[in-house]
Amino acid sequence: MIDQNQTCGLGQDSVPYMLCLIHILEEWFGVEQLEDYLNFANYLLWVFTPLILLILPYFTIFLLYLTIIFLHIYKRKNVLKEAYSHNLWDGARKTVATLWDGHAAVWHGYEVHGMEKIPEDGPALIIFYHGAIPIDFYYFMAKIFIHKGRTCRVVADHFVFKIPGFSLLLDVFCALHGPREKCVEILRSGHLLAISPGGVREALISDETYNIVWGHRKGFAQVAIDAKVPIIPMFTQNIREGFRSLGGTRLFRWLYEKFRYPFAPMYGGFPVKLRTYLGDPIPYDPKITAEELAEKVNCFFFFSFRTDFYFQLLYFECRRFIFIFYKHV
């Protein structure tokens, strides 16, 4: 009688290829019932996948706290140099930027297209789309510091300043809550400033269609007009495929509108390819109003960065129409 190994060697069709492969691996590793072990491993993967998807987004927060711990150690180490150096934190920023840039390259293959549009010196206002977790902006800040040697200030939501332990991180990387006059002052001083008009509401409510949740906000446009600086639009492809939020549900939307705090859980952390695109700068025009400039930036996002999505939508709709047509012919 021919055993299973001989049957595999004879190449008979009666034994599936995978069974032959499992049998070979059993002999190779000296393990019996390898198929049972593989089935058990597959079962564990099926059980723990939801848990992993819930944990991965908070791994980003864990990295942020590691960054904060490093900054505290760096601060204590250089406490005597603080009185003699105006660039105390440049070494820390460079180290942190290198770590985040490495994480971006390994986990997301992160790329920035249009880095040459960021000025080597002088002010500019960067307007970006806010993902569920703005990890793309963290990566972008790291790229700017490494390649341009510049720190990009950012306007953050008020709740971020209330997170325990975040004060040092926000100070070192020059985050601010506003107001508008402070933003204008920073730009007039020649710095880069980034604003997400949608903010936390966009992070929670927007979805994989990348709809812009700005409402009637035009404060960012007034800041650019008052400071007389260009606006550089920024959008990251696949940021919504990497991280998702349940903030669009009725309960979590109500909680946010009531308490102005993002209670909605997040999931994801998928290793998708992230590409940040920088649009052509929209120059300062003294004849344009804040409403017109805000609409101009909004249209730029709609037509320049969401084109791929609508082409895909049109493609699938055409396929569906052709399928229905031929089905009834």
Side-chain angles (χ1 to χ4, degrees):
M1 185 173 180
I2 300 175
D3 62 10
Q4 188 176 9
N5 191 32
Q6 291 175 329
T7 305
C8 291
L10 294 173
Q12 296 184 10
D13 295 335
S14 59
V15 180
Y17 172 76
M18 286 303 299
L19 290 179
C20 291
L21 180 61
I22 291 173
H23 187 69
I24 293 171
L25 290 175
E26 286 178 349
E27 292 187 346
W28 189 14
F29 291 109
V31 177
E32 298 182 356
Q33 304 299 326
L34 181 61
E35 185 177 3
D36 293 338
Y37 287 107
L38 293 176
N39 289 333
F40 182 66
N42 185 53
Y43 170 74
L44 290 178
L45 181 64
W46 177 79
V47 170
F48 288 106
T49 293
L51 181 62
I52 294 172
L53 295 182
L54 289 174
I55 290 175
L56 278 177
Y58 299 97
F59 179 72
T60 302
I61 300 176
F62 173 71
L63 288 180
L64 288 173
Y65 273 105
L66 281 183
T67 301
I68 293 168
I69 293 171
F70 167 77
L71 293 176
H72 275 290
I73 295 173
Y74 187 90
K75 182 179 181 180
R76 298 296 181 272
K77 180 177 179 294
N78 293 275
V79 65
L80 295 177
K81 296 181 181 179
E82 188 170 2
Y84 303 98
S85 175
H86 296 291
N87 298 314
L88 169 67
W89 292 110
D90 279 353
R93 292 190 186 103
K94 188 62 176 289
T95 303
V96 170
T98 302
L99 292 173
W100 279 89
D101 190 55
H103 180 268
V106 172
W107 194 248
H108 293 291
Y110 182 67
E111 299 174 359
V112 177
H113 296 263
M115 181 64 80
E116 69 279 358
K117 297 172 184 177
I118 301 294
E120 297 292 338
D121 51 30
L125 179 60
I126 300 171
I127 302 299
F128 66 97
Y129 171 85
H130 202 304
I133 293 181
I135 194 170
D136 58 321
F137 186 75
Y138 307 155
Y139 296 157
F140 177 70
M141 289 179 67
K143 286 282 188 186
I144 287 183
F145 193 83
I146 292 172
H147 296 286
K148 298 284 186 177
R150 306 192 64 182
T151 301
C152 181
R153 276 75 173 165
V154 61
V155 176
D157 193 271
H158 67 90
F159 91 90
V160 178
F161 294 87
K162 299 178 181 179
I163 299 178
F166 266 51
S167 58
L168 179 61
L169 178 68
L170 298 172
D171 288 341
V172 172
F173 287 95
C174 307
L176 63 146
H177 181 240
R180 184 185 302 172
E181 293 75 15
K182 181 64 175 179
C183 296
V184 173
E185 178 186 344
I186 287 174
L187 289 169
R188 286 178 176 173
S189 299
H191 298 293
L192 297 174
L193 178 66
I195 298 176
S196 174
V200 177
R201 181 178 282 104
E202 187 170 75
L204 297 176
I205 298 176
S206 185
D207 52 26
E208 65 276 7
T209 63
Y210 293 89
N211 53 311
I212 305 299
V213 188
W214 293 2
H216 299 288
R217 295 181 178 180
K218 57 182 184 297
F220 70 94
Q222 191 61 54
V223 166
I225 292 173
D226 292 344
K228 301 180 181 180
V229 298
I231 290 179
I232 302 176
M234 168 185 156
F235 177 80
T236 300
Q237 185 183 40
N238 292 332
I239 188 60
R240 282 286 170 182
E241 280 65 42
F243 293 90
R244 297 288 179 91
S245 169
L246 299 179
T249 59
R250 181 177 299 179
L251 172 62
F252 293 117
R253 289 185 67 170
W254 178 84
L255 287 173
Y256 174 73
E257 297 298 339
K258 181 71 174 179
F259 300 102
R260 287 294 188 270
Y261 199 90
F263 292 101
M266 297 170 292
Y267 65 98
F270 306 109
V272 297
K273 179 74 173 179
L274 295 181
R275 295 185 180 91
T276 290
Y277 294 93
L278 297 171
D280 294 328
I282 301 174
Y284 165 69
D285 184 356
K287 299 179 181 179
I288 198 172
T289 65
E291 291 82 0
E292 293 170 340
L293 181 57
E295 186 63 29
K296 191 174 183 179
V297 176
N298 199 327
C299 290
F300 190 92
F301 271 89
F302 188 88
F303 290 108
S304 297
F305 295 139
R306 300 177 69 200
T307 303
D308 290 343
F309 167 75
Y310 282 103
F311 272 132
Q312 293 176 17
L313 182 62
L314 180 62
Y315 170 74
F316 286 115
E317 284 296 320
C318 288
R319 286 191 59 182
R320 187 172 67 88
F321 173 78
I322 292 172
F323 174 78
I324 295 174
F325 176 78
Y326 280 103
K327 185 178 180 181
H328 291 85
V329 170

